[in-house]
Amino acid sequence: MTESRLKTIGLVVTILVHGAVIGGVFAMNVIDQRSASQRSKLGEDEYEAIQAGLAIRAKSAAGKTRSKLPQKDMAEKVKPDVEGVAMDPNKVPPPKKPDDKQRATPDMVDPSATFNKFRKADSVGKANTTGEGADDENVAGKADGSEWGTLEDAKGDPYAGELAGRVTKEFDVPSLVGAQGLKALGCVRLNREGRIVERSVEMKSGNPTFDRAVDKSVAQATDMEAPVPDKLVKIMVKKSICFEFKL
Amino acid sequence: MLRIQALTSIVLLGALLGRAAAQDRVIIDPNVKARRGLYPLAVAPPFESDAALAKLASDVMTFDFASSSWFSVLDPRSYLADHKREGMTIEPQRWKDVGAFGVVKTRAVSTGANVILQFKLFELEKGATPVLEREYKGSTADARKLVHKWCNEVVKYYTGEPGFFGSRIVFVVNKRKSKGILSMDFDGHGVGGVSNNDSLNILPAYSPSGGAIAFTSYMRNNPDLYVSSGGGRPARVSRQPGMNTGASFSPDGSRIALTLSKDGNPEIYVISAKDGSILKRLTNNRYIDTSPAWSPDGREIAFVSNREGGPQIFVMSADGGGQRRVSTIGNFNQTPAWNPKKGMRQLAYCARDDASGRFDIVTLDLANGKMVRITQNQGNNEEPTFAPNGRVIAFASSRAGGAGIYLANADGTGEQRLVYRGSATSPDWGPTP
């Protein structure tokens, strides 16, 4: 076999391999797009429940000083006609019903943040696009007049909030780090029993002191004291659950 | 050709794997605000070192870093590292396990009358490669200075700002029938005399270069102003009738603001630092104006006046114009000192707590009016002076735990450290050498 023939065969094989890889990537993208279009309501809702729970935790920690008006943000994006909540600043909300006191208000949750953060997670990983089987207890968006659910609904799952608290509890950035706008992901993986089986820092900021602060906080996170609830298994077990650490 | 093909294959495979990995990640924003704190630094026991020199190096580093307001030094008893095996390197995970962010390694060798000090700084996030290395040689007597020098390098590495280690503080020590001027390293070591008489010597002040110390002395019965520079007899610079007190050098060192009572009433003047000739009278009223403090940019002078009742802090331009009161809380505020940090307009002064009757140190940011109380419920705390970088304040305290000169962080956080025990007053912090 001549050398030129060998080169030709090699080239053909390479083209075939590359074609297969490119085709695989393309096919997966198509599948993702389809699955995204068929995304179950449950998957979104689970994320929103988690985020809403975290929003409430942040709110309770920060007091009533939220700087954004979430409904206003959402009004520009989806303009839902939500009973009892004035999305349009020029629109007068209808009279309150007796159960209105239980509805989510801007002071209670940040639905726009929830919405945006879900999209963020989705855009990065498109994770949990086919979740099923969760109970209705924590599902946001009940058909009771509120696009984003009642306060009780929006409290979300305390399990995720508890995990966030444990991972970020020791987040202490030395004051000699003057730079602002730093960000890194502190990630953990849980097993079914709620034990942390892997810890890592991803998308580091590049500032070694800040990154070390994230690393230390993640390293000192303690295991959850209860197994992962059934409804969260698909999105929390064996996946890299990453928390944004910012300065 | 084959290399290009292989490279392309690797890139494509990497993209595929990366995509798969990305699908495996869920990102949650917990909306957590970072707490700000100190940098946990481990000072490892010196390696292959002379015991006495090793202890000196460890002690100096520990004190310097801990008093810098930037670092917390970890307790050596918590260390898990095998120091013998590590030598002058580190096994990062061992240090991470005790919560350190950085590690300092030292080798301190004595060669008779001289010492060789080797230092390495490791940032654990950067692994086992040192981020800073220095070697110093000098006499045994200079060992402390060399360690201070290293500590300044570490501060500069992390903050970009010079440290104040190795700087000195001048102060008054109260004797039975006299008062003497002493100076010491900021950490209380190397105490030496400035005045050499049995009279009353008070209110010392460093020149901006640190090469001269002005003070008032009654050695010739009248409270005249003297300047001591480079040893020898201090020069009597101002000998106006009455008070010649409370000297504060201009930033260029050519002028001195002080209080003169030559006309009967204490007023603030500016004189030549060279020959004491009066250049300008800055205040002129029937009240007491005293304790001038020249701002680091040379444009303003803070002082104390009782023109509105009790003594209060005022600020005026360096030519005496625009006199205005800046202390707004309390009936008795005195002894202002400027933060020398560039760009800051902050004063520290002594304020009487009208409830307890005790004196405490406070800071006042002139840009926004923010006040921070530095001391509380710890005896009387008076006469603050800033470290050269503005991060730490020294002051005189008569607290029960031990009277003397103390250091405190200028932001009010952290532990307060006694650096000179005894009846001492009027500290003034000199520049970093």
Side-chain angles (χ1 to χ4, degrees), chain B residues 130-180:
Chain B
V131 294
L132 190 66
E133 293 181 71
R134 291 288 184 275
E135 179 176 305
Y136 302 100
K137 295 176 182 173
S139 68
T140 303
D142 285 339
R144 295 187 70 88
K145 286 182 184 173
L146 299 177
V147 182
H148 286 316
K149 199 171 180 180
W150 160 249
C151 293
N152 281 329
E153 292 280 350
V154 172
V155 167
K156 192 164 189 180
Y157 169 79
Y158 280 111
T159 69
E161 299 175 8
F164 55 77
F165 314 128
S167 59
R168 290 180 69 82
I169 295 173
V170 63
F171 59 100
V172 173
V173 63
N174 299 316
K175 302 174 185 174
R176 185 173 293 176
K177 293 183 178 177
S178 64
K179 292 174 184 284

Side-chain angles (χ1 to χ4, degrees), chain A residues 32 169 177 189 202 242, chain B residues 19 24-26 35-36:
Chain A
D32 275 349
K169 184 181 176 189
V177 178
R189 285 179 192 267
E202 300 175 16
C242 298
Chain B
R19 191 181 180 288
D24 196 29
R25 182 194 292 158
V26 177
R35 290 187 302 275
R36 305 310 297 271

Side-chain angles (χ1 to χ4, degrees), chain A residues 147-191:
Chain A
E147 175 77 8
W148 304 104
T150 63
L151 174 61
E152 287 306 310
D153 293 333
K155 275 184 179 173
D157 196 292
Y159 197 85
E162 172 74 17
L163 179 62
R166 286 170 184 258
V167 174
T168 60
K169 184 181 176 189
E170 300 297 329
F171 186 40
D172 197 341
V173 182
S175 56
L176 55 77
V177 178
Q180 296 289 319
L182 300 175
K183 191 159 76 173
L185 296 179
C187 306
V188 295
R189 285 179 192 267
L190 296 181
N191 65 12

Side-chain angles (χ1 to χ4, degrees), chain B residues 202-205 215-216 225 243-249 256-259 290-293:
Chain B
I202 58 173
L203 300 172
F215 61 97
T216 296
L225 186 73
M243 296 166 55
N244 299 260
T245 59
S248 176
F249 282 90
I256 294 174
L258 80 170
T259 302
T290 186
S291 300

Side-chain angles (χ1 to χ4, degrees), chain B residues 62-121:
Chain B
T62 299
F63 188 89
D64 282 7
F65 292 133
S67 63
S68 69
S69 85
W70 295 113
F71 303 98
S72 64
V73 180
L74 301 182
D75 186 343
R77 290 173 294 186
S78 71
Y79 296 167
L80 300 173
D82 184 335
H83 304 301
K84 203 169 184 179
R85 191 174 66 202
E86 282 192 344
M88 288 295 280
T89 63
I90 62 163
E91 294 168 3
Q93 192 56 49
R94 293 278 187 162
W95 295 99
K96 283 186 175 182
D97 288 344
V98 297
F101 281 38
V103 179
V104 173
K105 287 275 184 166
T106 307
R107 179 184 279 126
V109 180
S110 177
T111 57
N114 294 316
V115 294
I116 301 172
L117 296 166
Q118 294 175 312
F119 299 101
K120 289 185 180 182
L121 172 67

